[in-house]
Amino acid sequence: GAAPHTVIPSGSPARSDVAAKFGTYSYLATAGTSDYLSVTSHSDITFLTGAFTVDFWWRPTTIAIGRQTIISAAVDGQWLGLSYMGSGAKLNLEVGGTWSSGGLADPNGIKTDYAADTWYHIAIVRGSSSSDEIKLYQNGVLDISYDQGSTSITSTSAMQIFGKWGAPNTWYPSGYMDE
């Protein structure tokens, strides 16, 4: 967008100098805490139409725990989100309209060899305004391709980063995020 967006901390998210991909610091999330970051709702991040890219570096500190929210723009069953499913050891790209319309899609990635304390570059991309296909790349390799078809991504909620999947779900992660 034309203007920078405000990042709002919730709880006590930690800036860490223990593991940084770029520069001196990264964001540290500790499983089981209610700390996360959010970016207020704005037309740049509603994902309604048009091309977009969301990318970042992720370094899990543990891969054994259950579901971990990495990013989420979710409210009332309308969402675009990414979580790590510890039970299946895969990334899970979630795209949907509304629960009542059956717009749920949970495409799982194919990569299963994630390791703790290893950096991964993650990119979620919709390449053009006329495309219905959303792709997830992990270290430059296509991991998930999902054709959303007529399922609109209509979330206008704040984007929550590394910790909360809308209300009432939490699914807090354990690891670092950078970029």
Side-chain angles (χ1 to χ4, degrees), residues 1 23 37 39 43 49 53 59 62-63 68 74 82 100 109 119-120 126 134 145 161 169 172 176 179:
L37 302 172
V39 179
S43 60
T49 61
T53 299
R59 181 182 177 195
T62 180
I63 56 171
Q68 301 179 49
L82 180 68
S100 61
W119 285 105
Y120 299 96
R126 180 167 59 207
I134 297 174
S145 181
I161 304 168
N169 306 308
Y172 297 108
Y176 297 89
E179 189 163 341

Short mmCIF file of all heavy atoms in Angstrom, two decimals, residues 1 23 37 39 43 49 53 59 62-63 68 74 82 100 109 119-120 126 134 145 161 169 172 176 179:
data_model
loop_
_atom_site.label_atom_id
_atom_site.label_comp_id
_atom_site.label_asym_id
_atom_site.label_seq_id
_atom_site.Cartn_x
_atom_site.Cartn_y
_atom_site.Cartn_z
N GLY A 1 0.79 -1.18 0.00
CA GLY A 1 0.00 0.00 0.00
C GLY A 1 0.84 1.25 0.00
O GLY A 1 2.06 1.22 0.09
N GLY A 23 19.53 -8.74 10.13
CA GLY A 23 19.77 -7.75 11.18
C GLY A 23 20.04 -8.39 12.52
O GLY A 23 20.60 -9.49 12.61
N LEU A 37 1.11 -10.41 17.41
CA LEU A 37 1.09 -9.10 16.77
C LEU A 37 -0.12 -9.03 15.85
O LEU A 37 -0.55 -10.06 15.32
CB LEU A 37 2.36 -8.89 15.93
CG LEU A 37 3.69 -9.00 16.67
CD1 LEU A 37 4.85 -8.96 15.69
CD2 LEU A 37 3.82 -7.88 17.69
N VAL A 39 -2.02 -6.42 12.66
CA VAL A 39 -2.01 -5.24 11.80
C VAL A 39 -3.47 -4.86 11.61
O VAL A 39 -4.29 -5.70 11.22
CB VAL A 39 -1.34 -5.54 10.43
CG1 VAL A 39 -1.37 -4.31 9.54
CG2 VAL A 39 0.09 -6.03 10.64
N SER A 43 -7.71 -1.81 3.66
CA SER A 43 -8.03 -2.36 2.34
C SER A 43 -6.85 -3.10 1.72
O SER A 43 -7.04 -3.97 0.88
CB SER A 43 -8.52 -1.25 1.40
OG SER A 43 -7.51 -0.27 1.24
N THR A 49 -9.86 -9.12 -3.58
CA THR A 49 -9.56 -9.33 -4.99
C THR A 49 -8.13 -8.89 -5.25
O THR A 49 -7.50 -8.24 -4.42
CB THR A 49 -10.49 -8.49 -5.89
OG1 THR A 49 -10.30 -7.11 -5.58
CG2 THR A 49 -11.94 -8.88 -5.72
N THR A 53 0.99 -10.84 -2.20
CA THR A 53 2.04 -11.71 -1.68
C THR A 53 2.22 -11.41 -0.21
O THR A 53 2.30 -10.25 0.19
CB THR A 53 3.39 -11.47 -2.40
OG1 THR A 53 3.24 -11.76 -3.78
CG2 THR A 53 4.49 -12.36 -1.82
N ARG A 59 11.04 -19.79 11.80
CA ARG A 59 11.96 -20.75 12.42
C ARG A 59 11.27 -21.36 13.64
O ARG A 59 11.28 -20.78 14.72
CB ARG A 59 13.24 -20.05 12.84
CG ARG A 59 14.25 -20.99 13.47
CD ARG A 59 15.48 -20.26 13.93
NE ARG A 59 16.38 -21.18 14.59
CZ ARG A 59 17.40 -20.83 15.33
NH1 ARG A 59 17.65 -19.55 15.51
NH2 ARG A 59 18.16 -21.73 15.89
N THR A 62 10.03 -25.78 18.07
CA THR A 62 9.57 -27.15 18.29
C THR A 62 8.59 -27.50 17.18
O THR A 62 7.86 -26.64 16.70
CB THR A 62 8.92 -27.35 19.67
OG1 THR A 62 8.52 -28.72 19.79
CG2 THR A 62 7.70 -26.46 19.86
N ILE A 63 8.60 -28.75 16.76
CA ILE A 63 7.65 -29.18 15.74
C ILE A 63 6.71 -30.25 16.27
O ILE A 63 5.87 -30.74 15.56
CB ILE A 63 8.37 -29.68 14.47
CG1 ILE A 63 9.34 -30.81 14.80
CG2 ILE A 63 9.09 -28.54 13.79
CD1 ILE A 63 9.92 -31.50 13.60
N GLN A 68 -0.28 -24.67 15.26
CA GLN A 68 0.35 -23.39 15.57
C GLN A 68 -0.06 -22.38 14.49
O GLN A 68 0.19 -22.61 13.31
CB GLN A 68 1.87 -23.51 15.56
CG GLN A 68 2.42 -24.52 16.54
CD GLN A 68 3.94 -24.59 16.44
OE1 GLN A 68 4.62 -23.57 16.46
NE2 GLN A 68 4.47 -25.79 16.34
N ALA A 74 -8.82 -13.60 10.04
CA ALA A 74 -9.99 -14.45 10.23
C ALA A 74 -11.01 -13.79 11.13
O ALA A 74 -10.68 -13.23 12.16
CB ALA A 74 -9.57 -15.78 10.85
N LEU A 82 -2.54 -19.32 7.71
CA LEU A 82 -1.54 -20.36 7.57
C LEU A 82 -1.22 -20.87 8.96
O LEU A 82 -0.95 -20.09 9.88
CB LEU A 82 -0.27 -19.79 6.92
CG LEU A 82 0.87 -20.79 6.72
CD1 LEU A 82 0.49 -21.84 5.67
CD2 LEU A 82 2.14 -20.05 6.30
N SER A 100 -21.29 -21.28 6.77
CA SER A 100 -22.61 -21.70 6.33
C SER A 100 -22.68 -21.98 4.84
O SER A 100 -23.50 -22.76 4.39
CB SER A 100 -23.65 -20.66 6.72
OG SER A 100 -23.36 -19.42 6.10
N GLY A 109 0.01 -28.91 2.88
CA GLY A 109 1.23 -28.95 2.11
C GLY A 109 1.73 -30.37 1.96
O GLY A 109 1.24 -31.31 2.59
N TRP A 119 15.55 -22.13 9.63
CA TRP A 119 14.78 -21.06 8.98
C TRP A 119 14.15 -21.57 7.69
O TRP A 119 14.78 -22.28 6.92
CB TRP A 119 15.68 -19.87 8.65
CG TRP A 119 16.04 -19.04 9.85
CD1 TRP A 119 17.24 -19.02 10.50
CD2 TRP A 119 15.20 -18.11 10.52
NE1 TRP A 119 17.19 -18.14 11.55
CE2 TRP A 119 15.94 -17.56 11.58
CE3 TRP A 119 13.88 -17.68 10.34
CZ2 TRP A 119 15.41 -16.60 12.44
CZ3 TRP A 119 13.37 -16.73 11.21
CH2 TRP A 119 14.12 -16.20 12.24
N TYR A 120 12.87 -21.17 7.44
CA TYR A 120 12.14 -21.49 6.22
C TYR A 120 11.56 -20.19 5.66
O TYR A 120 10.95 -19.42 6.39
CB TYR A 120 11.00 -22.47 6.49
CG TYR A 120 11.48 -23.79 7.04
CD1 TYR A 120 11.48 -24.02 8.41
CD2 TYR A 120 11.95 -24.77 6.19
CE1 TYR A 120 11.94 -25.24 8.91
CE2 TYR A 120 12.41 -25.98 6.69
CZ TYR A 120 12.41 -26.20 8.05
OH TYR A 120 12.87 -27.39 8.55
N ARG A 126 -1.10 -14.82 -4.65
CA ARG A 126 -2.10 -14.88 -5.72
C ARG A 126 -1.55 -13.95 -6.78
O ARG A 126 -1.42 -12.74 -6.56
CB ARG A 126 -3.48 -14.43 -5.26
CG ARG A 126 -4.49 -14.53 -6.43
CD ARG A 126 -5.94 -14.41 -6.03
NE ARG A 126 -6.19 -13.14 -5.37
CZ ARG A 126 -7.16 -12.95 -4.47
NH1 ARG A 126 -7.94 -13.95 -4.12
NH2 ARG A 126 -7.33 -11.78 -3.92
N ILE A 134 -4.35 -19.65 -5.38
CA ILE A 134 -3.47 -19.18 -4.32
C ILE A 134 -2.40 -20.25 -4.13
O ILE A 134 -2.72 -21.44 -4.03
CB ILE A 134 -4.25 -18.93 -3.02
CG1 ILE A 134 -5.27 -17.81 -3.26
CG2 ILE A 134 -3.31 -18.56 -1.89
CD1 ILE A 134 -6.19 -17.57 -2.10
N SER A 145 -1.01 -25.57 -3.91
CA SER A 145 -1.68 -24.78 -4.92
C SER A 145 -3.17 -25.02 -4.74
O SER A 145 -3.63 -26.16 -4.77
CB SER A 145 -1.23 -25.20 -6.33
OG SER A 145 -1.87 -24.42 -7.30
N ILE A 161 -0.63 -12.04 13.57
CA ILE A 161 0.64 -12.62 13.20
C ILE A 161 1.20 -13.43 14.35
O ILE A 161 1.38 -12.90 15.46
CB ILE A 161 1.63 -11.51 12.79
CG1 ILE A 161 1.03 -10.67 11.66
CG2 ILE A 161 2.98 -12.10 12.40
CD1 ILE A 161 1.77 -9.39 11.37
N ASN A 169 -10.39 -19.16 18.90
CA ASN A 169 -9.24 -20.05 18.73
C ASN A 169 -7.93 -19.34 19.02
O ASN A 169 -7.78 -18.17 18.71
CB ASN A 169 -9.22 -20.59 17.31
CG ASN A 169 -10.53 -21.24 16.96
OD1 ASN A 169 -11.02 -22.10 17.68
ND2 ASN A 169 -11.13 -20.81 15.87
N TYR A 172 -1.34 -20.97 19.70
CA TYR A 172 -0.11 -20.19 19.75
C TYR A 172 1.10 -21.01 19.33
O TYR A 172 1.26 -22.15 19.71
CB TYR A 172 0.09 -19.63 21.15
CG TYR A 172 -1.01 -18.67 21.55
CD1 TYR A 172 -1.96 -19.01 22.49
CD2 TYR A 172 -1.10 -17.43 20.93
CE1 TYR A 172 -2.97 -18.13 22.83
CE2 TYR A 172 -2.12 -16.55 21.25
CZ TYR A 172 -3.05 -16.90 22.21
OH TYR A 172 -4.05 -16.04 22.51
N TYR A 176 10.38 -18.38 15.85
CA TYR A 176 10.78 -17.04 15.46
C TYR A 176 10.19 -16.69 14.08
O TYR A 176 9.97 -17.57 13.26
CB TYR A 176 12.30 -16.95 15.34
CG TYR A 176 13.02 -17.21 16.63
CD1 TYR A 176 13.39 -18.50 17.00
CD2 TYR A 176 13.37 -16.17 17.47
CE1 TYR A 176 14.06 -18.74 18.18
CE2 TYR A 176 14.05 -16.40 18.66
CZ TYR A 176 14.39 -17.69 19.01
OH TYR A 176 15.06 -17.93 20.19
N GLU A 179 11.72 -10.78 8.93
CA GLU A 179 11.64 -10.08 7.65
C GLU A 179 10.74 -8.96 7.73
O GLU A 179 10.32 -8.09 7.89
CB GLU A 179 11.21 -10.95 6.48
CG GLU A 179 11.36 -10.20 5.21
CD GLU A 179 11.35 -11.08 4.00
OE1 GLU A 179 11.58 -12.28 4.11
OE2 GLU A 179 11.14 -10.55 2.93
#
